[in-house]
Amino acid sequence: MSKSMCGIVLTGVIGLFSLIGIMCNGFLENRYKKKLSDFIFGMVFSILTMIILIYLIPAVYNYLGFKKLHYLFIFFCLGYIMLKIISSYTNNTSSDKLSKKELPLNYVYLGNILLISFIFYNIIRGTEVYVSANNIIKEAIEATISISIINCTMGFILFYLINQQKSVKIMTGLKLFIYILTPLIGSIIMSFIGIYSNALYLGCSISILIGMFAFILVNEIILKLTSCKNRKNTIIGIVLGTIIITISCLI
């Protein structure tokens, strides 16, 4: 197998782990699913925060360097504003006071903006795995394991949130199918444009992603954590999310 094909196969493995995370929802009984929301929000908070601090910010500095670090702030604002605009067109509920009818819709909205952000995240990580496979295969395998752990967890979270509207299962399936394919799409894109990617392009792309994650944290997740009913579940979610990202970074 050529190095290029190996990179594509590895990103396919990441997609497989995303599918495993999605399927794990099937093992949960409905009575437990109803109690998961505070736990899920705690996990999302720690996962997004840890990814920003441990991976995204160091990656931006690595690609841009100190002299071009101003691009981080420019494209951070761009990512934040982009998701804010998308949010204004997709969110029909107020996060402050949600009725029983509005709550599932709000969860679906949160799942959708998380999905958009992680599609972008997976494409970037898919390109990196492909490049690593063409250089040092061991690093590519380690990156694949690390990303697979995160994607498996996020697959579980995304399905929980998006599946709140059970009447539109075809659309839910389509969204999650796209999520599963995105690391593979990233590697295929890189196979066409070449393995010597532009550092400025990657640094700006990751800066946009930081802005998108920051928007979700500030405007959605932190507000939900402050109004959560079961703080014990929230704390468990935060701790578990932190452990998952820590393990993925140690590999």
Side-chain angles (χ1 to χ4, degrees), residues 19-48:
L19 178 61
I20 291 170
I22 292 167
M23 291 174 64
C24 284
N25 282 270
F27 295 103
L28 287 175
E29 296 180 18
N30 288 331
R31 57 175 177 162
Y32 295 122
K33 288 182 181 179
K34 293 177 181 179
K35 300 176 182 178
L36 271 181
S37 57
D38 291 334
F39 171 79
I40 291 290
F41 298 141
M43 284 193 73
V44 173
F45 173 78
S46 57
I47 287 171
L48 294 186

Side-chain angles (χ1 to χ4, degrees), residues 217-235:
L217 283 170
V218 172
N219 291 277
E220 296 298 330
I221 302 302
I222 291 176
L223 291 176
K224 283 181 166 51
L225 293 183
T226 55
S227 61
C228 66
K229 295 179 181 178
N230 194 327
R231 296 199 178 274
K232 181 181 177 181
N233 283 357
T234 302
I235 292 170

Side-chain angles (χ1 to χ4, degrees), residues 53-158:
L53 295 177
I54 294 178
Y55 166 66
L56 297 181
I57 291 177
V60 168
Y61 185 80
N62 183 49
Y63 286 125
L64 297 180
F66 184 76
K67 291 183 179 179
K68 295 180 180 177
L69 209 55
H70 58 280
Y71 284 109
L72 166 62
F73 303 101
I74 295 170
F75 285 91
F76 170 89
C77 294
L78 178 61
Y80 192 97
I81 292 168
M82 280 171 53
L83 209 57
K84 186 175 179 63
I85 293 170
I86 293 170
S87 168
S88 65
Y89 283 101
T90 57
N91 187 20
N92 297 319
T93 60
S94 169
S95 296
D96 299 328
K97 295 179 181 179
L98 296 170
S99 66
K100 287 186 177 181
K101 278 189 175 181
E102 291 176 328
L103 195 60
L105 293 173
N106 185 258
Y107 285 1
V108 173
Y109 151 73
L110 178 58
N112 285 336
I113 60 172
L114 272 171
L115 179 70
I116 292 167
S117 300
F118 271 90
I119 283 174
F120 196 46
Y121 170 83
N122 278 342
I123 289 174
I124 293 171
R125 298 309 305 265
T127 63
E128 290 180 336
V129 169
Y130 182 86
V131 172
S132 295
N134 280 272
N135 294 319
I136 305 172
I137 190 65
K138 183 182 176 183
E139 288 184 4
I141 293 171
E142 290 172 352
T144 299
I145 296 170
S146 175
I147 302 165
S148 294
I149 292 170
I150 297 171
N151 271 32
C152 182
T153 307
M154 286 308 304
F156 179 88
I157 290 170
L158 289 170

Side-chain angles (χ1 to χ4, degrees), residues 4-16 18 119 122-127 129-130 147 151 177-192:
S4 297
M5 183 56 65
C6 186
I8 292 173
V9 170
L10 287 174
T11 52
V13 171
I14 297 171
L16 179 61
S18 303
I119 283 174
N122 278 342
I123 289 174
I124 293 171
R125 298 309 305 265
T127 63
V129 169
Y130 182 86
I147 302 165
N151 271 32
F177 181 68
I178 293 170
Y179 170 72
I180 291 167
L181 288 181
T182 44
L184 182 61
I185 292 170
S187 68
I188 292 172
I189 290 171
M190 189 56 69
S191 71
F192 282 105

